[in-house]
Amino acid sequence: MSTPTQPTREYLAAPVHKDGAVAWLRKNLFSSWFNSVLTVLTMLALLYTIPPLIKWAFIDSVWNTSAEVCRDIDGACWSIIPRNIKFILLGFFPEGQEWRPILAMILLLGLVIYSKERHRWKKALLWYWLVGLIVMGTLMYGGVFGMPVVETGQWSGLPLTMMLSFFGMVCAYPLGVVLALGRRSKMPAIRTLCVVYIEMIRGVPLISLLFMSSIMFPLFLPDGMTIDKVLRAQVAIILFTAAYIAEVVRGGLQAMPKGQYEAADSLGLNYRQTMRLIILPQALKIVIPPTVGILLSAFKDTSLVVIIALYDVLKTTKVTLQNPNWTGYSTEAYIFLAVLYFIFCYAMSSYSRRLERELHTGH
Amino acid sequence: MTMDKNTAAYCSDPTAPPIIEIRNMHKWYGDFHVLSDINLKVKRCEKIVICGPSGSGKSTMIRCINRLEEHQQGQIIVNGTELTRDIKNIETVRAEVGMVFQHFNLFPHLTIMENLTLGPIWVRKTPKKQAEEAAMMYLEKVHIAEQAHKFPGQLSGGQQQRVAIARSLCMAPEVMLFDEPTSALDPEMIKEVLDVMVDLASEGMTMLVVTHEMGFAEKVADRVIFMDDGQIVEENTPHEFFRNPQHERSKLFLSQIL
């Protein structure tokens, strides 16, 4: 009997990567004649646009001069920003009190940054926020410690944008989750109420809601009773955003496998425990990407408050441009504004991606 | 109840009422009569294997016992509590009845340890530390203690099913229901799960198992129940059932699977 021969298996070396610049170019830019044409056309387009843009923005530009100097140059007049920065960012906040909204904004940003880390999500954090919010409110409104009262009508610029969008998101999110749960409730009254609410709000534009809050709503109030205009706009934003969040969250709830509910039921968990411990943590995680989309548009939509005569940061920029000295430099001003919005939006979306990564528990 | 469940006295107490009693139970899905006139008494520590062709209502029946499915007629009494619309009764029964599913249904966002301690902490109000110690004990019992801090997605199917068994055991249930616990597993993983179930049976746990693992039935079951078309067709000892089935339908079924 012969010993069985070991089956021989050939082990191939892993293919050698032929990298290098030329190989890379061939593979990625000139892999076919069509791609080559596209590459050349793109290069030409870039060549025609980028150098003049750099020349305009950086070489021929001025950064901190009077409006007169700007008339004589071909480049960008960035001077419009530093020369008007106070009005663009803080609007009509009274002279000499500027430190108050600045401090409030720093406090808000600080708290947001502090709250980013998940290991800090404890009860103490809620207390920090409570204290922080009271301090912020006091700083903005004043009336104590010798700080003159600043009516909400004078709150404007970046603090107003930040406040409307921050509280808009923070309040709309839980409200949206509750609406989503309500829409899936077994109780017909609650379900109908939530469906009607969600569909009604989603059926109208935010602008009309803001109009209603500022013009129609006061008509229904008894004589002499008024509710603050900023607060009304804030509520309109919250109600509007919540309806959209509700639908996204409902999608997440529907994506949950039935087995998760059954496993929770079979352990004897009640409805609230099941939702809080099992279903919502998973469902909300699934819908992080669309939720962030909604929060981002909510952030940008706060600029619509201009139609009820609130001066958010977009409106203060526009007002600056109406100053005869500075008309004509709208490109520069809007680029600045775009960068400002972009920083906030990018921070939000990259944080959401990090959160998704951290919450991933699969393989 | 202070008596230790593992003692022979607990199991053989002649005055003890049946731990599960189902009387004239019917269930419909719309017009479809899924379960018709089910009568079943389960004694303490009894091991019952339920088999039958697919669609015969065997899973539906055991899912009625912890009200994952609602019955429309008749009575189900579990450990002295009748299942009605009353949500408090349902939650009481569910805490006393452990359930193992075909697809494990672990909570993927929680670690193995958190999966196990969730029920004890939130339903039984056990202090966290104590719940974790108990969980560790059960994990050792199902030979998986070293995985306690992983997530379910990082475990094999057989390991996940053993975790699912341990999760139910952490609630110290009176009864364990198994709904085709090995049907979703690769062949080499079936044995590790069945071994755990055999151990559990030898410790005196009351078990109702829906399965097609006839070897397991023969080894462990006190009674085999054969269901077809929503009815209990035959009840017998495993020995008799496999060698000498009484009904045509049981004979046909056995000839197809053995």
Side-chain angles (χ1 to χ4, degrees), chain A residues 120-165:
Chain A
R120 293 188 184 135
W121 295 0
K122 299 197 181 102
K123 235 186 203 126
L125 191 61
L126 283 178
W127 289 109
Y128 297 161
W129 271 103
L130 195 68
V131 173
L133 292 178
I134 292 170
V135 174
M136 272 180 246
T138 315
L139 279 171
M140 291 297 288
Y141 193 77
V144 282
F145 308 123
M147 293 187 289
V149 171
V150 179
E151 292 296 336
T152 54
Q154 287 171 285
W155 297 8
S156 37
L158 194 58
L160 183 69
T161 298
M162 274 170 69
M163 206 184 72
L164 286 176
S165 44

Side-chain angles (χ1 to χ4, degrees), chain A residues 260 262 265-266 277 361 363, chain B residues 63 94 106-109 122 153:
Chain A
Q260 292 290 307
E262 290 181 348
D265 283 348
S266 74
L277 302 166
T361 58
H363 299 278
Chain B
R63 287 160 61 87
R94 282 173 175 169
L106 295 179
F107 305 126
H109 61 302
W122 291 91

Side-chain angles (χ1 to χ4, degrees), chain A residues 25-301:
Chain A
L25 279 176
R26 283 190 83 133
K27 183 166 167 260
N28 293 296
L29 297 180
F30 298 98
S31 57
S32 69
W33 67 266
F34 181 67
N35 283 352
S36 305
V37 171
L38 282 186
T39 302
V40 171
L41 285 178
T42 312
M43 296 271 188
L44 283 175
L46 289 177
L47 217 61
Y48 270 102
T49 51
I50 296 294
L53 191 66
I54 290 174
K55 193 161 176 293
W56 175 79
F58 298 108
I59 298 170
D60 295 344
S61 60
V62 289
W63 292 83
N64 193 2
T65 58
S66 65
E68 282 70 44
V69 178
C70 285
R71 307 246 182 282
D72 305 325
I73 57 158
D74 292 333
C77 173
W78 298 115
S79 310
I80 182 174
I81 312 297
R83 289 294 161 110
N84 297 287
I85 191 73
K86 203 192 111 219
F87 184 76
I88 291 177
L89 292 186
L90 301 178
F92 300 109
F93 216 84
E95 200 76 31
Q97 301 294 320
E98 290 87 357
W99 60 275
R100 284 162 50 183
I102 291 173
L103 205 60
M105 280 194 287
I106 292 173
L107 196 59
L108 180 61
L109 282 179
L111 274 171
V112 168
I113 291 169
Y114 182 81
S115 310
K116 275 173 75 174
E117 305 300 327
R118 278 199 306 143
H119 64 85
R120 293 188 184 135
W121 295 0
K122 299 197 181 102
K123 235 186 203 126
L125 191 61
L126 283 178
W127 289 109
Y128 297 161
W129 271 103
L130 195 68
V131 173
L133 292 178
I134 292 170
V135 174
M136 272 180 246
T138 315
L139 279 171
M140 291 297 288
Y141 193 77
V144 282
F145 308 123
M147 293 187 289
V149 171
V150 179
E151 292 296 336
T152 54
Q154 287 171 285
W155 297 8
S156 37
L158 194 58
L160 183 69
T161 298
M162 274 170 69
M163 206 184 72
L164 286 176
S165 44
F166 178 78
F167 291 108
M169 293 175 207
V170 168
C171 301
Y173 190 72
L175 182 59
V177 171
V178 170
L179 284 168
L181 291 175
R183 190 165 183 171
R184 285 168 60 83
S185 165
K186 289 203 184 80
M187 285 173 267
I190 292 181
R191 192 174 53 231
T192 315
L193 206 67
C194 290
V195 172
V196 169
Y197 173 86
I198 292 170
E199 296 307 335
M200 256 173 50
I201 298 277
R202 294 206 310 163
V204 295
L206 177 56
I207 292 196
S208 68
L209 267 187
L210 288 170
F211 259 128
M212 277 193 262
S213 79
S214 81
I215 294 162
M216 271 176 62
F217 183 65
L219 298 180
F220 297 110
L221 288 177
D223 275 343
M225 185 180 168
T226 53
I227 295 178
D228 187 81
K229 190 157 115 184
V230 176
L231 185 65
R232 275 181 277 142
Q234 180 77 78
V235 170
I237 289 172
I238 291 170
L239 295 182
F240 184 79
T241 310
Y244 284 83
I245 293 200
E247 284 300 274
V248 164
V249 171
R250 187 167 70 96
L253 291 173
Q254 277 168 353
M256 291 303 297
K258 208 165 144 242
Q260 292 290 307
Y261 290 94
E262 290 181 348
D265 283 348
S266 74
L267 285 175
L269 295 173
N270 61 31
Y271 174 81
R272 283 180 55 177
Q273 292 167 336
T274 304
M275 285 301 156
R276 193 183 132 197
L277 302 166
I278 310 296
I279 304 301
L280 283 177
Q282 297 184 66
L284 295 182
K285 189 187 87 180
I286 304 176
V287 296
I288 286 177
T291 308
V292 172
I294 288 171
L295 295 182
L296 287 178
S297 44
F299 173 64
K300 290 178 287 184
D301 284 351

Side-chain angles (χ1 to χ4, degrees), chain B residues 36-96:
Chain B
S36 119
D37 200 24
I38 303 288
N39 284 284
L40 179 68
K41 279 185 187 170
V42 182
K43 294 197 288 274
R44 282 177 178 178
C45 307
E46 206 177 2
K47 286 95 183 115
I48 296 180
V49 164
I50 302 157
C51 61
S54 79
S56 60
K58 50 197 190 319
S59 286
T60 312
M61 185 183 83
I62 72 162
R63 287 160 61 87
C64 283
I65 295 172
N66 66 351
R67 195 76 167 193
L68 291 183
E69 304 280 353
E70 195 179 325
H71 61 284
Q72 277 98 29
Q73 238 181 58
Q75 283 179 302
I76 302 177
I77 300 156
V78 181
N79 206 16
T81 310
E82 185 180 351
L83 281 169
T84 56
R85 284 256 159 81
D86 184 349
I87 188 74
K88 276 279 154 274
N89 275 359
I90 295 173
E91 279 162 11
T92 312
V93 167
R94 282 173 175 169
E96 299 307 328

Side-chain angles (χ1 to χ4, degrees), chain A residues 306-338:
Chain A
V306 59
I307 63 136
I308 56 168
L310 289 179
Y311 283 67
D312 78 316
V313 72
L314 179 66
K315 181 64 181 171
T316 52
T317 309
K318 277 187 174 158
V319 171
T320 307
L321 288 168
Q322 281 159 11
N323 177 341
N325 280 331
W326 297 103
T327 5
Y329 303 111
S330 53
T331 315
E332 291 87 337
Y334 285 132
I335 288 178
F336 169 75
L337 214 52

